[in-house]
Amino acid sequence: MKIHVVNPNGSAEMTRSLEAEVQSAAGAAGCEVVVTYGGSGVPASIEGYADEAASLMPMLRNIRSQDRAGAAAHVIACFDDTGLDAAREVAEAPVIGICEAALATARIVSKRISIVTTLERSVPIVEELVHRYGAADLVRGVHGTAMPVLDLEGGRGDVMARLLPILGGVVTQDRADALVLGCAGMSQYTAALERGLGVRVIDGVRMSVHIAGALAAAQVKTSKSGAYAAPRSKAGAVFA
Amino acid sequence: MKIHVVNPNGSAEMTRSLEAEVQSAAGAAGCEVVVTYGGSGVPASIEGYADEAASLMPMLRNIRSQDRAGAAAHVIACFDDTGLDAAREVAEAPVIGICEAALATARIVSKRISIVTTLERSVPIVEELVHRYGAADLVRGVHGTAMPVLDLEGGRGDVMARLLPILGGVVTQDRADALVLGCAGMSQYTAALERGLGVRVIDGVRMSVHIAGALAAAQVKTSKSGAYAAPRSKAGAVFA
Amino acid sequence: MKIHVVNPNGSAEMTRSLEAEVQSAAGAAGCEVVVTYGGSGVPASIEGYADEAASLMPMLRNIRSQDRAGAAAHVIACFDDTGLDAAREVAEAPVIGICEAALATARIVSKRISIVTTLERSVPIVEELVHRYGAADLVRGVHGTAMPVLDLEGGRGDVMARLLPILGGVVTQDRADALVLGCAGMSQYTAALERGLGVRVIDGVRMSVHIAGALAAAQVKTSKSGAYAAPRSKAGAVFA
Amino acid sequence: MKIHVVNPNGSAEMTRSLEAEVQSAAGAAGCEVVVTYGGSGVPASIEGYADEAASLMPMLRNIRSQDRAGAAAHVIACFDDTGLDAAREVAEAPVIGICEAALATARIVSKRISIVTTLERSVPIVEELVHRYGAADLVRGVHGTAMPVLDLEGGRGDVMARLLPILGGVVTQDRADALVLGCAGMSQYTAALERGLGVRVIDGVRMSVHIAGALAAAQVKTSKSGAYAAPRSKAGAVFA
Amino acid sequence: MKIHVVNPNGSAEMTRSLEAEVQSAAGAAGCEVVVTYGGSGVPASIEGYADEAASLMPMLRNIRSQDRAGAAAHVIACFDDTGLDAAREVAEAPVIGICEAALATARIVSKRISIVTTLERSVPIVEELVHRYGAADLVRGVHGTAMPVLDLEGGRGDVMARLLPILGGVVTQDRADALVLGCAGMSQYTAALERGLGVRVIDGVRMSVHIAGALAAAQVKTSKSGAYAAPRSKAGAVFA
Amino acid sequence: MKIHVVNPNGSAEMTRSLEAEVQSAAGAAGCEVVVTYGGSGVPASIEGYADEAASLMPMLRNIRSQDRAGAAAHVIACFDDTGLDAAREVAEAPVIGICEAALATARIVSKRISIVTTLERSVPIVEELVHRYGAADLVRGVHGTAMPVLDLEGGRGDVMARLLPILGGVVTQDRADALVLGCAGMSQYTAALERGLGVRVIDGVRMSVHIAGALAAAQVKTSKSGAYAAPRSKAGAVFA
């Protein structure tokens, strides 16, 4: 049972750090993972709608190809859940985003959720996802940390020293029961943050692997009779 | 890794049929299950708010006791997700309802969902859950089948002959991509219905076992710092 | 014309103080009241979902029995409006909760409402009621006072000294036109708080008696043809 | 304790029929009523936004003057709840609309509500009120009957023969538990309709008198510190 | 192509300042404008629901008469969008409010909008419009400035000195991308505020003229087959 | 004053027919237009999320380049409003979609709106836009016509004969005041449909040109301080 995890951005370094997290989760979930990413020509991080647009076609091609190669489920490892609907059209196996996985988990274990993301400009994007997933009553705040995605790579100590007081302030302000890490790059700090904050911390990367594994084991497939039907064949069609 | 599945009602026969479904799902999910039920003095089926009330305390006692005995996750196997919030207060392990599990799955694979339940009187209860889980934009209809829960037990052929035309009409009317079976007693007919209807059919019983297994493998725990904190100790307290 | 007021919790002392408030309101409303409570074996206060569950069956039995004895309306005197739907199934006479009565009144006389409750853990429960009653646009905040229900009993002076600055801060922060007291135990302080705060203060206990009296005088009955139909007869049925 | 009921339109005949209903309700509610209406120069029925506008100032003057004369509560006896907010500004006593009163009652006794009004053009107006009162989840349909308000006056038999099949169809289509009569002119047929339809029928006229009586007995006053503060004094001010 | 702009209030001075803004916008929009106002007997400013009521009939008469005189579109130049629905009934040409125009523009150029109005009592009125126009997810706050409408007239320097720090605080608090000026009287300060605040500032007066011009050029007419049908003819009818 | 209209798809024929509509509207609006399209390698029609994804980058490049060449506003001429947010990031001038323009117009002239689109699979996409633009309370239905986009090209007579009965049925079923044409390809039939249906018909293509012209004349610019800030510079960045 193989799970495909795609990092939509073009950063090889972030992909390696993602792969470590994902392999560890896959071990616990009892499944294999294969990790792909956007490669060259794709922005090194997804910070805004145009970055999403630029990452879309390489990501969809990765999903299409892994789907045909037998992946039993796909994970989109960017907290913007970039291109989720299009991905569901081009795949037979189920597709889940890490924001979706994190919220699906957080609402099972808590009633007041805070989300932290990187830049302020990503806040409206995440708020739109919160509405899409029907969690607006549960999520008390989506907060920027003013840390660009790429700053999260590398030196753990320094990142933690910058993140801890910001996230502590968020939890207090929102009177949150659970904190969702709104960026794949924060995944590696989950355990350290939970210790440092004394509050439940949820990482969409790990959870998406577990939920994808569950969907795969249950042999769930994307419905092909409605909105997620395969793209139609026509002049210029890319996936038909 | 042990999953506890509780049938809140008092029907031993329905519990046996549930156990068969659940064992089969657990096999696929790679986990063990233990099944409990309300026992005598509890209504044989949950059809309305007062039936829910009557099943609540025995169910919570089962959850509390299995939680202390080491269950890694709990499933409430009634489509009303009876007592879900109270269950989360008395357990450390995560608790999921079968309506919750079914909707969490259906929204990953489709955009237009129909739900069928048994009696018309359960329709508003399920609609309230649809709102709670933030799926009101996706669910196109919740429909009674005018079949009492207890009629679903036993003779497969007859039940199928009654269910198929009703459910087919529902799918057509709602132009649905996916059909959710809104009663634990329908679980046994999932595969036959999918064949008969030619549409994706989602059964909350099976999916709840898979998702509970994923939560357990990810070592997710209920947040105890907010709404789901353990009951307070006081005169008359039952669970403190 | 007799109104039945049920205190779901097990505190005799709180019931006595409730009875005083209720008798005074009933005098003004021109009706009789009978007051019942959960008695022994029920938590002395309702602070969370599990406490609600533990109080449910004794409360429903009280309602059923007073309904058969001719009560013309029922009041559930806990701000969580515990078991309201189940109560409507087992009674012919209309049933109203004190949160429901308070919000129904507050929205007639104001447009910006603050609600104060006791513990922080009750905040999500009250917020869910605010949504249920369709008042989310009007209610600007639901606030915990960090005072357990049982601290509200007894010594008036001390309680007022603790409550006044907390409630004053809430009104200022929310720029509220009206303050709703979100706990039956606060009822006795209504007049003193209105004087101390200089703002309209609404007490669900008094208002529920007046509204119940109006429903009774109008000979309104619960609809028995849909969601509030009487529980069905079956093995293990308690109320059928 | 005097309740003021204002019919915003200019029909003396409809006002007489309203007064009969209102006096009967007041008798049951144990209060006095005084009935006023728009008089000449005001449309004989309120069918649309411009008719509402034309009735507004005479109605507000009636409310202002009865408030100063000691009315303990006011009822606006038009199902559009015409000018409700402005009325609350010019009165100290609480003001309630008959749509508001009908929905407040219907949601206590049922979960699926149908509303019938006169002309199709009033449907969006009533739907806006349903949203305002937070009852959108409960109201399954607002339906025109294609009967102008003025046709409801006079000959009972003929009106009933036309109304019954229309309303029966509405109840069936919406699978409604309760039917709200969305026009003051229908009030006189309430009991006959309940017998004819076999379903709970709710008349806002009667209920508004009972609820107004309850508010008056509870000595509830409109909050004057926020949105309903008295109009400010200035050049051209009418009510300051 | 003539646009009719109606100031519902009775202030000749405010109307003159409005006319200056409106003529300048009309020049850029390539259309003519005619400006009317409430005249004597109408409140000099619209601050609350009763002031709206008092301005309604003179405003509707102005709209009716300009519509018959060939106006191709109408603008209601009060941020409460006073009587918008009634105006649409009495006119054939399209009618737009300045709050509506401002929000329609702001949502095209930004995702986080702050609105400032004059008195605190107008805040709920504007919030209701925000809901009506479906912009509740975009508008982060509606704020009173504690400046009465009439203080905005006259001495530019002093007004700016009072407004700038208030509006700067609002933008920071809401982390807004765009600031909407919620009062026709603020229109004249738009450019100065944009310079002073360093943020996009949107003035509904100017935008309403441009959008009205666009509707007129496109020959758009109000639909007369539904909610905005002309008032019906009857006794007391004013506009039929 | 130049308006840029981009057809995201790759059909030269549909672009020519679009250009004719657009030039006619531009004439009435008093502005110039330049029309671009996706060109080869882009699907000939946008029918679903993957088609949108495939059209995105060529469209954004067209917008970027026309923005730098001085376009005063941009129109995205696909009823899915494909890539609207990303377009706003890469442009200084305002960007409007044709669905957005159609709904902004329809809500000014009516209260009950029907939308017709081509294939059933586009229905959920349009429903999501209806929610985004806050028009869910006004739009009574989004309907597929089972006509693929490409069938709308060419032979007028035949298309009309197929469209008229379908659209007539939609208007009757929804009791609509206004009908929005949910596909750029339907634009050419607007006048004929309005005559044939006897109801107001709104075409987003024409309206978007008029509104874009109004925004341009008012010198409105996209806010660059928040969600629509220009893409950040980084490795792999395409637009920074």
Side-chain angles (χ1 to χ4, degrees):
Chain A
M1 207 171 70
K2 195 177 63 184
I3 306 301
H4 169 225
V5 178
V6 58
N7 171 15
N9 75 28
S11 163
E13 187 180 353
M14 197 177 293
T15 307
R16 275 190 297 276
S17 128
L18 172 73
E19 183 146 24
E21 290 301 311
V22 147
Q23 290 294 1
S24 145
C31 54
E32 275 177 87
V33 283
V34 53
V35 177
T36 66
Y37 78 116
S40 66
V42 170
S45 58
I46 310 293
E47 295 165 320
Y49 299 102
D51 286 349
E52 285 193 56
S55 72
L56 214 46
M57 291 302 282
M59 184 193 81
L60 293 176
R61 287 197 173 92
N62 282 339
I63 287 173
R64 176 71 149 200
S65 126
Q66 292 295 329
D67 199 68
R68 296 205 159 158
H74 305 272
V75 169
I76 297 177
C78 171
F79 205 79
D80 296 355
D81 289 1
T82 312
L84 186 59
D85 285 315
R88 285 172 179 165
E89 279 187 3
V90 304
E92 298 281 334
V95 186
I96 191 165
I98 62 171
C99 175
E100 190 179 28
L103 285 173
T105 304
R107 72 194 306 161
I108 289 172
V109 300
S110 66
K111 288 227 172 193
R112 299 182 73 99
I113 302 164
S114 292
I115 303 179
V116 287
T117 180
T118 48
L119 302 183
E120 188 67 29
R121 73 181 298 158
S122 293
V123 169
I125 297 176
V126 173
E127 288 176 335
E128 285 159 8
L129 291 176
V130 167
H131 272 92
R132 169 174 179 167
Y133 300 133
D137 289 344
L138 302 166
V139 173
R140 301 305 164 130
V142 180
H143 306 266
T145 55
M147 290 179 68
V149 173
L150 299 177
D151 281 22
L152 292 170
E153 296 185 26
R156 232 166 236 265
D158 177 48
V159 172
M160 281 297 293
R162 287 170 65 191
L163 277 178
L164 259 184
I166 299 173
L167 305 195
V170 159
V171 166
T172 303
Q173 177 187 331
D174 291 351
R175 293 176 293 161
D177 295 353
L179 177 71
V180 166
L181 301 181
C183 171
M186 291 181 188
S187 184
Q188 56 195 302
Y189 307 106
T190 307
L193 285 169
E194 197 158 86
R195 279 192 305 275
L197 291 168
V199 89
R200 194 137 328 280
V201 176
I202 290 164
D203 163 37
V205 172
R206 289 190 79 84
M207 287 316 304
S208 64
V209 173
H210 283 283
I211 295 178
L215 295 168
Q219 299 186 285
V220 169
K221 299 278 179 204
T222 299
S223 171
K224 287 292 158 185
S225 60
Y228 294 140
R232 302 180 79 225
S233 180
K234 73 190 80 170
V238 177
F239 295 106
Chain B
M1 204 172 72
K2 195 178 63 182
I3 307 299
H4 168 225
V5 178
V6 58
N7 172 15
N9 75 28
S11 163
E13 187 180 352
M14 196 175 293
T15 306
R16 274 190 298 274
S17 128
L18 172 73
E19 182 146 25
E21 290 301 313
V22 146
Q23 291 293 2
S24 146
C31 54
E32 275 178 88
V33 282
V34 53
V35 177
T36 66
Y37 78 117
S40 67
V42 170
S45 58
I46 310 292
E47 296 166 321
Y49 300 101
D51 285 350
E52 284 192 58
S55 72
L56 215 46
M57 290 302 282
M59 184 193 82
L60 293 177
R61 288 197 172 90
N62 282 338
I63 287 172
R64 175 72 148 201
S65 126
Q66 292 295 329
D67 199 68
R68 295 203 161 159
H74 305 271
V75 169
I76 296 176
C78 172
F79 205 78
D80 296 355
D81 289 0
T82 313
L84 186 59
D85 286 315
R88 287 174 177 163
E89 279 186 4
V90 304
E92 298 280 335
V95 186
I96 191 166
I98 62 171
C99 175
E100 188 178 30
L103 285 174
T105 305
R107 71 194 309 161
I108 289 172
V109 300
S110 65
K111 288 229 173 192
R112 298 183 72 98
I113 302 165
S114 292
I115 303 179
V116 287
T117 180
T118 48
L119 302 182
E120 188 67 29
R121 71 183 298 159
S122 293
V123 169
I125 296 175
V126 173
E127 288 177 334
E128 286 159 6
L129 291 176
V130 168
H131 272 90
R132 169 173 179 167
Y133 300 133
D137 290 343
L138 302 166
V139 173
R140 302 305 164 129
V142 179
H143 306 265
T145 56
M147 291 180 69
V149 174
L150 299 177
D151 281 21
L152 292 170
E153 298 185 25
R156 228 168 240 264
D158 178 48
V159 172
M160 281 298 293
R162 288 168 67 191
L163 276 178
L164 259 184
I166 299 173
L167 305 195
V170 158
V171 167
T172 302
Q173 178 188 331
D174 291 351
R175 294 175 292 161
D177 295 351
L179 178 71
V180 166
L181 301 181
C183 171
M186 292 181 186
S187 182
Q188 58 195 298
Y189 307 105
T190 307
L193 285 169
E194 196 158 85
R195 280 192 305 274
L197 292 167
V199 89
R200 193 132 336 274
V201 177
I202 290 163
D203 163 36
V205 172
R206 289 191 78 83
M207 286 315 305
S208 64
V209 172
H210 283 284
I211 295 177
L215 295 168
Q219 298 186 285
V220 169
K221 299 279 179 205
T222 299
S223 171
K224 287 292 159 184
S225 60
Y228 293 141
R232 301 180 79 226
S233 179
K234 72 190 82 165
V238 177
F239 295 106
Chain C
M1 205 171 71
K2 194 178 65 183
I3 307 299
H4 168 225
V5 178
V6 58
N7 171 16
N9 75 28
S11 163
E13 186 179 352
M14 196 177 293
T15 307
R16 274 190 298 275
S17 127
L18 173 73
E19 183 146 25
E21 290 301 312
V22 147
Q23 291 293 3
S24 146
C31 54
E32 275 178 88
V33 283
V34 53
V35 177
T36 66
Y37 78 117
S40 68
V42 170
S45 58
I46 310 292
E47 295 165 321
Y49 300 101
D51 285 350
E52 284 193 57
S55 72
L56 214 46
M57 291 301 283
M59 183 193 82
L60 293 176
R61 287 197 172 92
N62 282 339
I63 287 173
R64 176 73 148 201
S65 127
Q66 293 295 329
D67 199 68
R68 296 204 160 158
H74 304 272
V75 169
I76 297 177
C78 171
F79 205 78
D80 296 354
D81 288 2
T82 312
L84 186 59
D85 286 315
R88 286 172 179 166
E89 279 188 3
V90 304
E92 298 282 334
V95 186
I96 191 165
I98 61 170
C99 174
E100 189 178 29
L103 285 174
T105 304
R107 72 194 307 161
I108 289 172
V109 299
S110 66
K111 288 229 171 192
R112 299 183 73 99
I113 302 164
S114 292
I115 303 178
V116 287
T117 180
T118 48
L119 302 184
E120 188 67 29
R121 73 183 297 158
S122 292
V123 169
I125 296 175
V126 173
E127 288 176 335
E128 286 159 7
L129 291 176
V130 167
H131 272 91
R132 170 175 179 166
Y133 300 133
D137 290 343
L138 302 166
V139 173
R140 302 304 164 130
V142 180
H143 306 264
T145 55
M147 290 180 69
V149 174
L150 299 177
D151 281 21
L152 292 169
E153 297 184 24
R156 229 167 239 266
D158 178 47
V159 172
M160 280 298 293
R162 287 169 65 190
L163 277 178
L164 258 184
I166 299 173
L167 305 195
V170 159
V171 166
T172 303
Q173 178 187 332
D174 290 351
R175 293 175 293 160
D177 294 353
L179 177 72
V180 166
L181 301 181
C183 171
M186 292 181 187
S187 183
Q188 57 195 299
Y189 308 106
T190 306
L193 286 170
E194 196 157 87
R195 279 192 306 273
L197 292 167
V199 90
R200 193 132 338 273
V201 177
I202 290 164
D203 163 37
V205 172
R206 289 191 79 84
M207 286 316 305
S208 64
V209 172
H210 282 284
I211 295 178
L215 296 168
Q219 299 186 286
V220 170
K221 300 277 180 205
T222 299
S223 172
K224 287 293 158 184
S225 61
Y228 294 140
R232 302 181 78 225
S233 179
K234 73 189 82 168
V238 177
F239 295 106
Chain D
M1 204 172 71
K2 195 178 63 182
I3 306 299
H4 168 225
V5 178
V6 58
N7 171 15
N9 75 28
S11 163
E13 187 180 352
M14 196 176 294
T15 306
R16 275 189 298 273
S17 129
L18 173 73
E19 182 146 24
E21 289 302 312
V22 145
Q23 291 293 2
S24 146
C31 54
E32 276 177 88
V33 282
V34 54
V35 177
T36 66
Y37 78 116
S40 67
V42 170
S45 58
I46 310 292
E47 295 165 322
Y49 300 101
D51 285 350
E52 284 193 57
S55 73
L56 214 46
M57 291 302 283
M59 183 193 82
L60 293 177
R61 286 197 173 91
N62 282 338
I63 286 173
R64 175 74 148 201
S65 124
Q66 292 295 328
D67 199 68
R68 295 205 160 158
H74 305 271
V75 168
I76 297 177
C78 172
F79 205 79
D80 296 354
D81 290 1
T82 312
L84 186 59
D85 286 316
R88 287 172 178 165
E89 278 187 5
V90 304
E92 299 279 335
V95 185
I96 191 166
I98 63 171
C99 175
E100 189 179 31
L103 285 174
T105 305
R107 71 193 308 161
I108 289 172
V109 300
S110 66
K111 288 228 172 192
R112 299 183 73 98
I113 302 164
S114 292
I115 303 178
V116 288
T117 180
T118 48
L119 302 183
E120 189 66 30
R121 72 181 299 158
S122 292
V123 169
I125 296 175
V126 173
E127 288 176 335
E128 287 159 6
L129 291 176
V130 168
H131 271 92
R132 169 174 180 167
Y133 300 133
D137 289 343
L138 301 166
V139 173
R140 302 305 164 130
V142 180
H143 307 265
T145 56
M147 290 180 69
V149 173
L150 299 176
D151 280 22
L152 292 169
E153 298 185 25
R156 230 166 239 266
D158 178 48
V159 172
M160 280 298 292
R162 287 169 66 190
L163 277 179
L164 258 184
I166 298 173
L167 305 196
V170 158
V171 166
T172 303
Q173 177 187 331
D174 291 351
R175 294 174 293 160
D177 294 353
L179 178 71
V180 165
L181 302 180
C183 171
M186 292 181 185
S187 183
Q188 58 196 299
Y189 308 106
T190 307
L193 285 170
E194 196 158 87
R195 280 192 306 274
L197 292 168
V199 88
R200 195 135 330 278
V201 176
I202 290 164
D203 163 36
V205 173
R206 288 190 79 83
M207 287 316 305
S208 64
V209 173
H210 282 284
I211 296 177
L215 295 169
Q219 299 187 285
V220 170
K221 299 279 179 204
T222 298
S223 171
K224 287 292 159 186
S225 60
Y228 294 140
R232 300 180 81 225
S233 179
K234 73 190 81 170
V238 177
F239 295 106
Chain E
M1 205 171 68
K2 194 177 63 183
I3 306 299
H4 168 225
V5 178
V6 58
N7 171 15
N9 76 29
S11 162
E13 186 180 352
M14 197 175 293
T15 307
R16 274 190 298 274
S17 128
L18 173 73
E19 183 146 24
E21 290 300 312
V22 146
Q23 290 293 1
S24 145
C31 55
E32 274 178 88
V33 283
V34 53
V35 177
T36 65
Y37 78 116
S40 67
V42 170
S45 59
I46 311 292
E47 295 165 319
Y49 300 101
D51 286 349
E52 284 193 57
S55 73
L56 214 46
M57 290 302 282
M59 183 192 82
L60 293 177
R61 287 196 173 92
N62 282 339
I63 287 173
R64 176 72 149 202
S65 127
Q66 292 296 328
D67 200 68
R68 295 204 160 159
H74 305 272
V75 169
I76 297 177
C78 171
F79 205 78
D80 295 355
D81 289 1
T82 312
L84 186 59
D85 286 314
R88 286 173 179 165
E89 279 187 4
V90 304
E92 298 281 335
V95 186
I96 191 166
I98 61 171
C99 175
E100 190 179 29
L103 285 173
T105 304
R107 71 194 307 160
I108 289 173
V109 300
S110 65
K111 288 228 171 192
R112 299 182 72 99
I113 302 164
S114 293
I115 303 178
V116 287
T117 180
T118 49
L119 302 183
E120 189 67 29
R121 73 182 297 158
S122 293
V123 169
I125 296 176
V126 174
E127 288 176 335
E128 285 159 8
L129 291 176
V130 168
H131 272 91
R132 169 175 180 166
Y133 300 134
D137 290 343
L138 301 166
V139 173
R140 302 305 165 129
V142 180
H143 307 265
T145 55
M147 291 180 69
V149 174
L150 299 177
D151 281 21
L152 292 170
E153 297 185 25
R156 230 166 239 267
D158 177 47
V159 172
M160 280 297 293
R162 287 169 66 190
L163 276 179
L164 259 185
I166 298 173
L167 306 196
V170 159
V171 167
T172 302
Q173 177 186 332
D174 290 351
R175 293 176 292 161
D177 294 353
L179 177 72
V180 166
L181 301 181
C183 172
M186 291 181 187
S187 184
Q188 56 195 299
Y189 307 106
T190 307
L193 286 170
E194 196 158 87
R195 279 192 307 274
L197 291 168
V199 89
R200 192 129 342 271
V201 177
I202 290 164
D203 163 37
V205 172
R206 287 191 80 84
M207 286 316 305
S208 65
V209 173
H210 283 282
I211 295 177
L215 296 168
Q219 299 186 287
V220 169
K221 299 278 180 204
T222 299
S223 171
K224 287 293 158 185
S225 60
Y228 295 140
R232 302 180 78 225
S233 180
K234 73 190 82 169
V238 177
F239 295 106
Chain F
M1 203 171 71
K2 195 178 63 183
I3 307 299
H4 168 225
V5 178
V6 58
N7 172 15
N9 75 29
S11 163
E13 187 180 351
M14 197 177 292
T15 307
R16 276 190 296 275
S17 129
L18 173 73
E19 181 146 25
E21 289 301 313
V22 146
Q23 291 293 2
S24 146
C31 54
E32 275 177 87
V33 283
V34 54
V35 177
T36 65
Y37 79 117
S40 68
V42 170
S45 59
I46 310 292
E47 295 166 321
Y49 300 101
D51 286 349
E52 284 194 56
S55 72
L56 214 46
M57 291 301 284
M59 183 193 82
L60 293 177
R61 287 197 173 91
N62 282 338
I63 287 173
R64 174 73 146 201
S65 124
Q66 292 295 329
D67 199 68
R68 295 203 161 158
H74 305 271
V75 169
I76 297 177
C78 171
F79 205 78
D80 296 355
D81 289 1
T82 312
L84 185 59
D85 286 316
R88 287 173 178 164
E89 278 187 4
V90 304
E92 299 280 335
V95 186
I96 191 165
I98 62 172
C99 175
E100 189 178 30
L103 285 174
T105 304
R107 72 194 308 162
I108 289 172
V109 300
S110 66
K111 289 227 172 193
R112 299 182 73 98
I113 303 164
S114 292
I115 303 178
V116 287
T117 180
T118 48
L119 302 183
E120 188 67 29
R121 72 182 298 159
S122 293
V123 170
I125 296 175
V126 174
E127 288 176 334
E128 287 158 6
L129 290 176
V130 168
H131 272 91
R132 169 174 180 166
Y133 300 133
D137 289 344
L138 302 165
V139 173
R140 302 305 165 129
V142 180
H143 306 265
T145 56
M147 291 179 69
V149 174
L150 299 177
D151 281 21
L152 292 170
E153 298 185 23
R156 227 166 241 268
D158 178 48
V159 172
M160 280 297 293
R162 287 168 67 190
L163 276 178
L164 259 184
I166 298 173
L167 305 195
V170 158
V171 166
T172 303
Q173 177 187 332
D174 290 351
R175 294 175 293 160
D177 295 352
L179 177 71
V180 166
L181 301 181
C183 172
M186 291 182 186
S187 183
Q188 58 195 299
Y189 307 106
T190 308
L193 286 170
E194 196 158 87
R195 280 191 306 274
L197 292 168
V199 89
R200 194 133 334 276
V201 177
I202 290 164
D203 163 37
V205 173
R206 288 191 80 83
M207 287 316 305
S208 63
V209 173
H210 282 284
I211 295 177
L215 295 169
Q219 298 186 286
V220 169
K221 300 278 179 204
T222 299
S223 171
K224 287 293 158 185
S225 61
Y228 294 141
R232 300 180 79 224
S233 180
K234 72 190 82 170
V238 177
F239 295 107

